[in-house]
Amino acid sequence: AFLTPHKFEEKDKTVNTYQVTVSGTTQYILGLLYALEQESKFGQIASMTFEKVTAYRTKRPKLYGRFTIQLVQ
């Protein structure tokens, strides 16, 4: 899910920073990041973290990827 972007303006540039959280396998998350940055040219990946969380009720692990994308206009 894309949250409202953080906007930073400097001289003649505007930097929009988006924070995104997705869940899935490591390969799926990395593939999504590659597609966003290289294939769609949406922006550049500024940071990336993985978090493995165990569901309380099911006791199953779930992998989350949180990343920040910056788009300079």
Side-chain angles (χ1 to χ4, degrees):
F2 281 89
L3 300 176
T4 306
H6 175 266
K7 294 183 180 185
F8 176 75
E9 295 181 18
E10 180 180 7
K11 296 183 184 177
D12 60 342
K13 295 179 185 177
T14 301
V15 179
N16 292 330
T17 304
Y18 298 89
Q19 293 183 353
V20 183
T21 302
V22 295
S23 65
T25 64
T26 305
Q27 293 172 336
Y28 170 77
I29 295 170
L30 291 176
L32 176 63
L33 289 173
Y34 180 81
L36 283 173
E37 186 175 48
Q38 299 297 319
E39 295 174 1
S40 71
K41 304 293 184 193
F42 181 75
Q44 68 180 29
I45 305 300
S47 68
M48 172 64 193
T49 59
F50 284 103
E51 183 179 5
K52 185 177 173 182
V53 177
T54 302
Y56 178 73
R57 291 181 185 206
T58 62
K59 305 288 190 221
R60 291 185 146 183
K62 194 165 191 177
L63 183 66
Y64 291 96
R66 290 188 176 93
F67 52 95
T68 304
I69 301 174
Q70 290 184 335
L71 176 61
V72 179
Q73 297 176 332

